[in-house]
Amino acid sequence: MRVATFFGVNKGVLELDGTASQPVTVTALEDDSVLGDTQKNGPPAGTPRRFNTIEIGSNNSRIRHAVIRYGGNAVARAGAVYIAGAATPSIEDTVIELSRLHGIALNGQFSSPSVARCVFRNNGLRAIGGP
């Protein structure tokens, strides 16, 4: 598994497509709740801002049946998920939690994601907000 602090798609399509019983999880390496104690260091130690953001700058991208936690470290991008430019991704049936800043951050007036049946918990700022 490769560890990254940021990933994004500005050309092409991002698809995080899990199922209700097996969601895709994006989290801190220290978060033992998904694969157990992978680092052999005892209790889980995930904390907000362990990764910067998932940046979506293209249309037709989709996040569905996912859990995104411990993100939001990039102050300029201000959320665990950052919608850049005029992107119009779909985010459905997803839990976004424990972000340092917003759950989803929008880059200005032209960002317009479709967000449905999502849960936002314990994020530092709003569920959906500007940078």
Side-chain angles (χ1 to χ4, degrees), residues 1 6 60 66 70 76 112 115 121-122 124 126 128:
M1 174 170 65
F6 163 87
N60 302 319
Y70 298 125
S112 58
V115 179
R121 289 192 287 242
N122 302 317
R126 293 183 216 125
I128 301 173

Side-chain angles (χ1 to χ4, degrees), residues 77 83 130:
R77 287 172 170 78
I83 311 302

Side-chain angles (χ1 to χ4, degrees), residues 84-100:
T88 58
S90 172
I91 303 170
E92 304 171 350
D93 303 304
T94 292
V95 175
I96 300 175
E97 60 188 355
L98 299 163
S99 170
R100 176 179 171 231

Side-chain angles (χ1 to χ4, degrees), residues 7-126:
F7 70 91
V9 174
N10 287 312
K11 295 179 181 176
V13 175
L14 172 69
E15 287 193 26
L16 297 179
D17 199 7
T19 65
S21 62
Q22 292 186 311
V24 172
T25 301
V26 178
T27 189
L29 182 62
E30 299 88 356
D31 182 358
D32 295 342
S33 70
V34 180
L35 298 174
D37 190 7
T38 57
Q39 294 184 305
K40 308 290 185 227
N41 61 351
T47 59
R49 67 177 156 184
R50 295 307 295 172
F51 71 90
N52 285 341
T53 192
I54 299 168
E55 181 173 328
I56 302 172
S58 62
N59 294 328
N60 302 319
S61 290
R62 178 175 63 193
I63 298 174
R64 185 172 63 178
H65 293 294
V67 175
I68 301 168
R69 71 171 68 103
Y70 298 125
N73 192 36
V75 174
R77 287 172 170 78
V81 177
Y82 176 72
I83 311 302
T88 58
S90 172
I91 303 170
E92 304 171 350
D93 303 304
T94 292
V95 175
I96 300 175
E97 60 188 355
L98 299 163
S99 170
R100 176 179 171 231
L101 300 169
H102 300 297
I104 298 173
L106 306 177
N107 178 22
Q109 63 184 355
F110 300 110
S111 299
S112 58
S114 170
V115 179
R117 299 174 307 279
C118 291
V119 174
F120 297 89
R121 289 192 287 242
N122 302 317
N123 295 300
L125 297 174
R126 293 183 216 125

